[in-house]
Amino acid sequence: MLNNLKNIKLSKIIFITSLLFIASCSTSFAYNNLGWLSSFWIDDYVDLNKSQSTQLKVIINNTRDWHREVELPKYKADLLDLRQLLDKEADTAQLMSKITQVKQHWRNLLLYASDPLIELAKTLTPSQRSEMVENIRDQINDEIKEHASLTKEEHQQSRLDRQLDYYEQWLGKLTSEQRTLVSQANSEYISTSNLWYDYKLTRLGALEALFNQQTLDDAQFAQQLRTIITERELFMSAELIERNEETLRAYAQLLVKLNQTLSPKQIAHVDEEFADLVGTVNELLTE
């Protein structure tokens, strides 16, 4: 579980969708004040001048307004569709199809924001570009070191604890059968952490190479940066893509199995969670 929820304002990925859920005592305040895109490429990694900061604020505000008007209704529809799928005891293929559909929301966000972010990136000085690349590299290396500080068994136990907390959040108290299903799925999980770090470094390398190009015109720069922002699978290894698909399938299979074990009380608990999420989205839509 997340610690100090009252002090955290962020969106998090929950259940099998990338649907928005605000872990805050004030949903609308949190949504309206999310950094949104500021941490994608720029604001967390480089000091911007006054003009650039103003430009970024415009990007953030415009993206938030677009997201509320265009994307939130899709989130609500997906929540309702997902609840119906689970009521009908959807099979693995149906759940995987829904997950794949929902993933498009994140790409929609990147596609919408890519052009204004590219225009901002064009204003970065050589020193700002170097600063940005090095700060991102330092962050990735810190993640690698932190991951290496734990043994395989410690990572496995930590993941199991998170999974159990996650399903208890949605189902309430788990039965011994349900805990066994989650534990078994966790024991069969093959870590992709190193593959993800390779992907991050490969993508960063592409960004660094682009920033160091001296002969590109604006159109060429924009095209290459748009690819880096929106086409992340191009920088993934074939093994990572395959493992991601396997992990997704295993997750859907676990959901199917758990769905078959729910007691009436747990079904009511799930309904409450979905109702809370729909209420959250409705609150944001009516502001």
Side-chain angles (χ1 to χ4, degrees):
M1 297 291 288
L2 292 173
N3 295 322
N4 302 318
L5 288 179
K6 291 183 180 179
N7 298 320
I8 297 175
K9 295 181 176 68
L10 77 168
S11 61
K12 60 180 182 177
I13 308 301
I14 59 171
F15 211 36
I16 67 170
T17 71
S18 60
L19 303 172
L20 183 67
F21 177 76
I22 305 300
S24 168
C25 57
S26 173
T27 296
S28 59
F29 179 84
Y31 182 85
N32 291 326
N33 290 277
L34 285 173
W36 282 95
L37 305 177
S38 60
S39 62
F40 280 3
W41 297 99
I42 297 176
D43 194 48
D44 281 355
Y45 305 109
V46 62
D47 290 327
L48 301 177
N49 62 37
K50 185 176 181 180
S51 176
Q52 291 166 336
S53 295
T54 299
Q55 191 174 349
L56 180 60
K57 288 178 182 178
V58 171
I59 295 172
I60 292 170
N61 290 337
N62 288 345
T63 303
R64 182 197 60 211
D65 293 343
W66 165 84
H67 188 269
R68 174 184 278 112
E69 180 180 351
V70 177
E71 292 297 294
L72 284 183
K74 298 177 185 177
Y75 289 7
K76 180 178 178 179
D78 283 330
L79 277 170
L80 298 175
D81 287 348
L82 176 59
R83 189 66 193 102
Q84 285 188 341
L85 277 177
L86 294 175
D87 278 341
K88 296 176 181 177
E89 297 187 353
D91 59 27
T92 299
Q94 289 173 311
L95 288 176
M96 290 183 67
S97 176
K98 188 61 182 178
I99 296 168
T100 301
Q101 175 188 333
V102 170
K103 283 182 178 180
Q104 182 64 33
H105 295 321
W106 177 249
R107 191 166 187 275
N108 289 345
L109 182 61
L110 293 177
L111 288 171
Y112 178 85
S114 60
D115 283 348
L117 285 175
I118 289 167
E119 292 305 310
L120 177 55
K122 289 178 180 178
T123 72
L124 296 178
T125 65
S127 62
Q128 284 179 312
R129 293 182 179 190
S130 296
E131 177 190 0
M132 178 177 168
V133 169
E134 288 309 309
N135 284 335
I136 296 174
R137 181 176 288 113
D138 287 345
Q139 176 180 301
I140 296 172
N141 287 334
D142 286 344
E143 292 175 7
I144 293 173
K145 290 178 182 177
E146 182 177 357
H147 183 267
S149 68
L150 298 179
T151 65
K152 178 180 178 181
E153 291 72 24
E154 288 172 329
H155 279 295
Q156 189 176 48
Q157 184 60 50
S158 177
R159 185 176 187 275
L160 175 59
D161 291 341
R162 293 195 305 271
Q163 290 285 299
L164 291 172
D165 285 342
Y166 168 79
Y167 287 109
E168 285 185 346
Q169 174 190 349
W170 275 91
L171 306 180
K173 185 177 180 180
L174 300 179
T175 66
S176 58
E177 178 187 7
Q178 291 165 344
R179 293 181 71 89
T180 297
L181 287 172
V182 175
S183 297
Q184 181 178 353
N186 186 70
S187 67
E188 295 171 353
Y189 171 76
I190 300 176
S191 174
T192 56
S193 295
N194 291 333
L195 295 174
W196 276 107
Y197 297 139
D198 290 343
Y199 148 74
K200 289 182 179 182
L201 291 171
T202 298
R203 197 179 185 194
L204 177 61
L207 180 64
E208 182 176 25
L210 175 60
F211 279 169
N212 289 333
Q213 283 274 11
Q214 302 296 323
T215 60
L216 298 178
D217 59 28
D218 280 357
Q220 291 170 324
F221 178 86
Q223 180 181 4
Q224 292 188 32
L225 185 52
R226 187 177 296 106
T227 297
I228 293 171
I229 294 174
T230 63
E231 304 293 342
R232 69 175 194 162
E233 284 199 356
L234 292 179
F235 305 96
M236 295 180 181
S237 65
E239 182 180 4
L240 177 56
I241 293 173
E242 182 180 355
R243 290 278 187 86
N244 286 344
E245 187 71 9
E246 292 172 353
T247 300
L248 177 59
R249 182 177 294 103
Y251 184 43
Q253 289 172 342
L254 176 58
L255 288 178
V256 169
K257 293 177 182 177
L258 287 173
N259 200 38
Q260 296 169 348
T261 69
L262 300 184
S263 67
K265 184 177 181 179
Q266 288 176 323
I267 292 174
H269 196 288
V270 171
D271 286 336
E272 289 178 3
E273 292 293 325
F274 271 100
D276 285 345
L277 284 177
V278 171
T280 296
V281 175
N282 283 336
E283 179 181 343
L284 296 171
L285 285 171
T286 56
E287 287 190 342

